[in-house]
Amino acid sequence: MKKTIKSLIVLMTLLVTLLSVTGCEIKIGGKDDDSKGKKESYKDLFPDAAAEKGSFAKSSNLCYKFTLGSYGEMLVYVDTSEGHKFELQNENGGFNILDKDGEIVLYVGCMEKTGYQIYVADINDVKTINNRDFFYRENADGSTDVFSYMADCGLDCGMVMETKGDSDAFRLVAFRGTPIEGASSDIYAYKESSDGNNPVDTEITTEDIETTEDVAVTEEETEDTEDVTEDSGNTGATTNSSLDPDVQKQMDALNTDYSKINWGVQYSPFADYPGFVISVAPTFSYGQYGLAIAFTNLYSDPVAFQGDATALASDGSEVGNTTVYTETLCNGNTVIYTILCDDIPDGRIHWENAKLDTDPSDGYEPWVADYSVKGNPSDGYLTVEYSIGSVNSIDMIIGTVACVLIDSNGNIVDVSYDYNYDTIAAGEKYSGSDSVYSDEERLKTVADVAIFAAPAPAK
């Protein structure tokens, strides 16, 4: 059990933007802790236990003062009547509840507001646990997650609790604290809709943005583009982190593998060209945390992008970087790049020397593909087998193929790349394969694969 939950949390750490806070502290309640010194009833904190066990003995519980950096503090009550114990997880801003044998039965982690927004966007089931409402979700792997915002208990952040196979473990903890002034604790307060509008209120810096020349579009497209620019408010180098509704509708209507993935952030980096969209999602590739970055062209004419990307952590520090030179992108096509990070990124990307080439010298070729995932997670890897061919039956060069493994909710499990720069003859398909190595428990969550490429005509 201990290994299973810890493996799951490695993946969840990125998906829900768990906090990595050095100021996380726990103190066991004592005489200096008012909540410990009072002759109070635990019936309001553990109503189910009180009903089942009659008088809920105070000696069977421990009270901890949980301090999380600048996010505040709260009191955590743990039911220890059956030998359960508390274990601080300082690196994740959370804690574990262990059974009498030392196995993890409940994981609790704190989430920044943006992570809470992303993760509860598609969760609508609500469960009341110890007189507190939580968003509730049962996962395909047998684990269960619940989410709540903790401002009424003194922490201005969200919280996720996860258990593997035993939902009764949620009842082992309860929370209390001084409400934060002006911060809502309603679980719906920071919930964002899953229709793509304003998926997360994250600052995206796009300094030193410039373009090479105007995009040639039709008259109808020109009108749409002008409306998008005016309505979006993208008038400076720093753009909004959400798309104009018209652009969002086009992104939502894409009939490509892009739509399979649960993107945390979508934005247009160029105020004059809102139809060029960057999307960001967390990933864990090659044993490192990272960000998957998608570049999508909605214009009828081809474009290519280049820029220097730096991933930022929640404290503003730089945790990873890469230089991007996309292939030529035709209408509706997407390519994927990955930034591998030394620490947990928070989703922000700082761009420098970013340019949009609206008259790229390399051509493009629409493509079709067949693919499947094979293998046994217990072997430590899965293999993506694919074949790619030209729509127009011309000689072409495949280039880079990104193989993205995703779970049943569209979250990225891993990203791997395959490369082929040989000429593929007209009418033929290139067949390739790429093995993705990862932890067995992570690979067990894989439910689908998405393929991204931008082939070009052979010269």
Side-chain angles (χ1 to χ4, degrees):
M1 171 65 101
K2 188 170 185 178
K3 180 179 179 181
T4 301
I5 288 188
K6 284 193 172 181
S7 298
L8 290 170
I9 295 307
V10 169
L11 174 61
M12 288 186 61
T13 300
L14 250 311
L15 298 179
V16 302
T17 321
L18 293 176
L19 299 176
S20 179
V21 182
T22 57
C24 179
E25 299 178 350
I26 285 290
K27 296 180 180 178
I28 298 177
K31 292 182 179 179
D32 58 341
D33 184 344
D34 290 340
S35 67
K36 190 70 174 181
K38 291 181 179 179
K39 299 287 186 179
E40 62 177 336
S41 169
Y42 281 76
K43 290 183 179 180
D44 59 333
L45 289 173
F46 298 95
D48 294 336
E52 292 175 7
K53 301 179 183 179
S55 60
F56 200 55
K58 187 174 181 180
S59 61
S60 297
N61 296 274
L62 288 177
C63 174
Y64 298 88
K65 182 179 289 185
F66 182 83
T67 303
L68 189 64
S70 61
Y71 292 86
E73 66 179 28
M74 68 179 177
L75 300 177
V76 180
Y77 296 82
V78 181
D79 178 1
T80 60
S81 59
E82 296 181 2
H84 291 94
K85 299 178 181 179
F86 181 100
E87 177 185 69
L88 178 65
Q89 285 291 327
N90 211 8
E91 68 272 20
N92 287 334
F95 54 87
N96 299 325
I97 301 300
L98 313 178
D99 64 16
K100 60 183 179 181
D101 296 322
E103 297 294 314
I104 298 175
V105 295
L106 181 66
Y107 169 85
V108 181
C110 296
M111 309 161 59
E112 289 184 314
K113 186 183 298 181
T114 54
Y116 182 81
Q117 287 176 309
I118 293 172
Y119 217 72
V120 303
D122 297 311
I123 305 176
N124 297 307
D125 292 336
V126 176
K127 188 178 185 69
T128 301
I129 304 169
N130 291 337
N131 279 349
R132 184 177 191 85
D133 287 339
F134 292 85
F135 286 117
Y136 176 86
R137 187 186 67 191
E138 294 182 354
N139 303 311
D141 63 357
S143 64
T144 305
D145 305 323
V146 298
F147 303 83
S148 189
Y149 207 81
M150 308 304 294
D152 64 321
C153 292
L155 280 185
D156 197 6
C157 64
M159 176 170 285
V160 54
M161 298 198 299
E162 182 188 66
T163 185
K164 179 74 172 180
D166 182 14
S167 59
D168 285 342
F170 290 128
R171 302 191 314 181
L172 294 172
V173 297
F175 310 96
R176 177 173 289 172
T178 303
I180 296 175
E181 184 177 357
S184 175
S185 61
D186 184 347
I187 60 173
Y188 293 98
Y190 305 115
K191 179 179 172 65
E192 293 290 347
S193 65
S194 58
D195 62 2
N197 283 325
N198 191 25
V200 55
D201 185 18
T202 301
E203 178 188 3
I204 305 294
T205 58
T206 54
E207 297 183 6
D208 300 327
I209 293 292
E210 58 180 296
T211 57
T212 55
E213 61 180 85
D214 292 340
V215 173
V217 295
T218 65
E219 180 178 355
E220 180 180 2
E221 287 171 330
T222 301
E223 293 176 355
D224 289 343
T225 300
E226 291 174 351
D227 289 340
V228 167
T229 303
E230 180 180 356
D231 293 342
S232 67
N234 294 339
T235 58
T238 300
T239 65
N240 295 336
S241 60
S242 59
L243 300 176
D244 178 274
D246 290 339
V247 176
Q248 188 69 63
K249 288 179 181 178
Q250 295 181 60
M251 294 297 292
D252 292 343
L254 287 176
N255 187 25
T256 67
D257 280 7
Y258 174 92
S259 300
K260 292 183 178 181
I261 296 175
N262 180 23
W263 298 104
V265 176
Q266 297 171 307
Y267 62 98
S268 301
F270 303 102
D272 294 335
Y273 302 105
F276 180 77
V277 177
I278 292 178
S279 308
V280 183
T283 185
F284 190 80
S285 301
Y286 304 104
Q288 287 184 264
Y289 298 116
L291 296 174
I293 314 171
F295 304 87
T296 303
N297 176 29
L298 296 178
Y299 293 106
S300 59
D301 292 289
V303 300
F305 172 85
Q306 69 180 65
D308 299 320
T310 300
L312 304 178
S314 58
D315 62 359
S317 62
E318 299 179 359
V319 293
N321 60 77
T322 192
T323 297
V324 175
Y325 290 93
T326 73
E327 298 88 339
T328 298
L329 299 176
C330 60
N331 174 257
N333 200 18
T334 299
V335 293
I336 301 286
Y337 278 68
T338 302
I339 301 180
L340 297 181
C341 301
D342 298 326
D343 202 347
I344 301 175
D346 68 357
R348 291 177 298 161
I349 297 175
H350 175 79
W351 289 102
E352 291 186 350
N353 305 315
K355 297 180 181 180
L356 188 67
D357 185 354
T358 59
D359 188 21
S361 57
D362 293 334
Y364 65 91
E365 174 56 23
W367 54 283
V368 292
D370 298 308
Y371 44 85
S372 61
V373 180
K374 297 183 178 180
N376 191 329
S378 63
D379 295 331
Y381 69 93
L382 296 174
T383 299
V384 179
E385 296 183 350
Y386 65 91
S387 63
I388 293 180
S390 165
V391 169
N392 298 317
S393 296
I394 65 172
D395 292 352
M396 71 174 184
I397 296 175
I398 301 295
T400 302
V401 178
C403 303
V404 184
L405 299 180
I406 53 180
D407 67 16
S408 59
N409 297 306
N411 299 313
I412 296 177
V413 177
D414 210 330
V415 182
S416 188
Y417 297 90
D418 196 19
Y419 307 91
N420 185 282
Y421 292 93
D422 296 331
T423 297
I424 308 303
E428 295 184 0
K429 286 188 175 183
Y430 169 72
S431 297
S433 64
D434 191 33
S435 295
V436 183
Y437 294 83
S438 190
D439 179 85
E440 176 183 355
E441 295 300 327
R442 286 169 46 75
L443 293 176
K444 285 182 178 179
T445 68
V446 173
D448 201 354
V449 61
I451 297 291
F452 300 89
K459 295 182 178 179

